[in-house]
Amino acid sequence: MKQKLIAGNWKMNGSLSANEALVRAVQAGAATGCQVAMCVPSVYLSQVQSLVAGSGIWLGAQDVSAHEQGAYTGEVSAAMLRDIGVRCCIVGHSERRQHHSESDALVAMKAKQALAASITPIVCIGETLAEREAGSTADVVRRQLAAVIHLNGHCISEIVLAYEPVWAIGTGKTASPEQAQQVHALLRAQLRAATVQADRVSIVYGGSMNAANAASLLAQPDIDGGLVGGASLKAADFLSIVAAARS
Ligand code: 13P
C-alpha cells in the first residue's frame, strides 16, 4: 500500500525566523509511515532546503513557470527548482486560477515542465460554490483533469492530484468525507481510463483540513493524503494531521 502524503501549503506566509521554528518543530515530531512535504514561498526554498536536508521531508514549491527558460521576467523554471532540491510543486492552485487567470491549458503546461525536471506536480482541481450548487462539480473537475491528461498522457501516473473544492479553502467549511470520496472516486475512474497505473496516483484532499477532521477524511478509500493550508503553519496541528495519516 502506498504511503499517504501530507503536504503543507504555506501560501504567502513565513519569515526566516518563523520558518526555522516551524520546520524544526515538525521535524522533531514527524516519524516514518507517511510522506511529508512543505510547499514554501520561492524566496525561502533555499533556507528550507537546508533545514530539511536528510530528513525525508519533501521540499515543495507553490508554482512553476510554464516555460523552460528565457525572457520571462519574474518566473522560476522547473530546472531551477530542481537545482535547489525541490521534489514537488503545486500547480493550478485555485488561488492562482482565480487571481492570475491560470487556464486549464496553462496548468497542464506547468505540470509538464515539472515532470520534465523530475519534480512531482501536485495538480490542484476543484469546483466553486456556484458550480457545486449548479450540479456541475463532476463536469468541472473532469474538465480540469482532462487538460492535464491530454498534455501529459504517457506520464500521468507520476502526478499527485489534489481535489480542493474552492468553497472549502480557508473557509472552515470542509467537504464531508463522503462528498470528498465521491469526487475522488470519479477522478480515480478518469485516471483508470487514461493509464493502467491509476492506482499509483495519490489523490489528496485540500480545503480546511485540520486536526479534528483529518482522520475521517483520510479513512476514505480514495483519499491518499492532504494538502493543508492554514493548519500547516502550526506545528502541533500539522503534526496531528500527519499522525492521522499514519494510523
Ligand atoms: P486551507 O487548509 O487553509 O483551507 O487551505 C487549503 C489549501 O488551499 C491548500 O492548498
Side-chain angles (χ1 to χ4, degrees):
M1 211 178 94
K2 59 180 180 277
Q3 284 195 341
K4 291 208 186 320
L5 168 66
I6 300 297
N9 175 8
W10 291 3
K11 307 193 180 185
M12 198 172 73
N13 294 289
S15 65
L16 288 172
S17 57
N19 301 345
E20 180 163 356
L22 178 57
V23 174
R24 289 204 192 288
V26 168
Q27 272 176 326
T32 53
C34 160
Q35 181 61 56
V36 175
M38 288 175 162
C39 301
V40 313
S42 56
V43 289
Y44 295 130
L45 284 167
S46 287
Q47 180 206 12
V48 175
Q49 194 279 332
S50 323
L51 290 168
V52 300
S55 71
I57 292 177
W58 284 1
L59 178 66
Q62 297 177 6
D63 187 30
V64 64
S65 177
H67 306 284
E68 199 174 328
Q69 63 165 52
Y72 298 101
T73 302
E75 297 213 23
V76 176
S77 74
M80 292 171 186
L81 294 179
R82 185 72 230 178
D83 212 14
I84 54 162
V86 166
R87 180 70 183 67
C88 61
C89 177
I90 295 170
V91 298
H93 192 281
S94 64
E95 287 151 15
R96 295 207 59 86
R97 292 179 190 258
Q98 186 189 344
H99 303 306
H100 300 270
S101 305
E102 292 196 3
S103 65
D104 295 343
L106 185 82
V107 172
M109 283 170 67
K110 291 184 171 197
K112 187 177 173 133
Q113 288 295 333
L115 288 166
S118 303
I119 290 171
T120 301
I122 303 178
V123 178
C124 298
I125 62 177
E127 81 288 2
T128 63
L129 184 59
E131 288 165 339
R132 174 160 283 266
E133 286 176 350
S136 50
T137 298
D139 289 344
V140 170
V141 296
R142 281 203 192 104
R143 186 203 73 221
Q144 292 171 327
L145 177 55
V148 181
I149 292 173
H150 180 68
L151 201 66
N152 298 280
H154 61 288
C155 41
I156 198 67
S157 64
E158 307 296 321
I159 72 165
V160 166
L161 193 57
Y163 170 55
E164 297 208 308
V166 178
W167 49 271
I169 294 177
T171 58
K173 286 188 201 143
T174 321
S176 68
E178 296 72 25
Q179 280 175 319
Q181 167 58 27
Q182 200 176 30
V183 177
H184 282 229
L186 71 87
L187 296 172
R188 183 84 66 199
Q190 189 175 357
L191 287 167
R192 283 205 181 108
T195 171
V196 291
Q197 308 217 64
D199 291 347
R200 273 187 54 188
V201 178
S202 291
I203 308 179
V204 304
Y205 169 82
S208 299
M209 187 181 262
N210 58 36
N213 61 30
S216 56
L217 285 160
L218 294 168
Q220 299 300 310
D222 287 300
I223 301 186
D224 304 315
L227 183 54
V228 185
S232 74
L233 298 171
K234 297 183 197 120
D237 290 4
F238 191 60
L239 285 169
S240 299
I241 297 172
V242 169
R246 295 172 55 226
S247 52

